[in-house]
Amino acid sequence: MQKIEHIGIAVKSIKEANLLYEKLLGYSHYKTEEVKSEGVKTSFYICGESKIELLEATRSDSPIAKFIEKKGEGIHHIAYAVKDINKETQRLEKEGFKVLNKTPKRGADNKWVVFLHPKSTGGVLVELCQDVKE
Ligand code: CO
């Protein structure tokens, strides 16, 4: 793992959360992006070496909708930047972590992503991410 790439935060309304985060951070987001496959709309803020990713569900069967239903708004996942996502996934699997998708999928902000089940990581959904090289 290289650094915390971003912290994902589940919100009911990106519009309202943007107003809050603009006040909190003192500047605006640098992009919004919809990830149709995950049923989410995202809003990204730079914060030093890391980012904040706000996530709003776009459909009722979205993982974010289910998360908010169960736990309410709040921290949804921690994403770590990795150099070689396939190698890191194999290493973590060997260590006994439960990998949710062994084949990296396209996430927001031009990344390959793999998720680890919170049951195997002490209750925190973990995302590994690597920049997509065009
Ligand atoms: Co994320």
Side-chain angles (χ1 to χ4, degrees), residues 39-84:
V40 294
K41 249 190 334 204
T42 65
S43 171
F44 280 92
Y45 293 82
I46 298 271
C47 195
E49 291 248 311
S50 304
K51 298 166 191 162
I52 298 291
E53 174 187 36
L54 303 178
L55 300 141
E56 178 194 311
T58 55
R59 348 178 261 263
S60 57
D61 66 342
S62 154
I64 295 302
K66 288 178 192 161
F67 179 89
I68 287 178
E69 211 174 279
K70 266 214 278 201
K71 300 190 171 170
E73 292 180 298
I75 294 180
H76 177 258
H77 63 269
I78 295 191
Y80 297 92
V82 298
K83 214 174 182 177
D84 183 335

Side-chain angles (χ1 to χ4, degrees), residues 15-59:
K15 217 176 136 191
E16 278 173 37
N18 274 334
L19 294 174
L20 180 76
Y21 273 82
E22 274 169 30
K23 271 192 245 171
L24 182 70
L25 298 172
Y27 47 84
S28 354
H29 63 186
Y30 68 93
K31 77 187 290 188
T32 53
E33 187 180 340
E34 190 170 343
V35 184
K36 288 217 165 101
S37 58
E38 300 290 311
V40 294
K41 249 190 334 204
T42 65
S43 171
F44 280 92
Y45 293 82
I46 298 271
C47 195
E49 291 248 311
S50 304
K51 298 166 191 162
I52 298 291
E53 174 187 36
L54 303 178
L55 300 141
E56 178 194 311
T58 55
R59 348 178 261 263

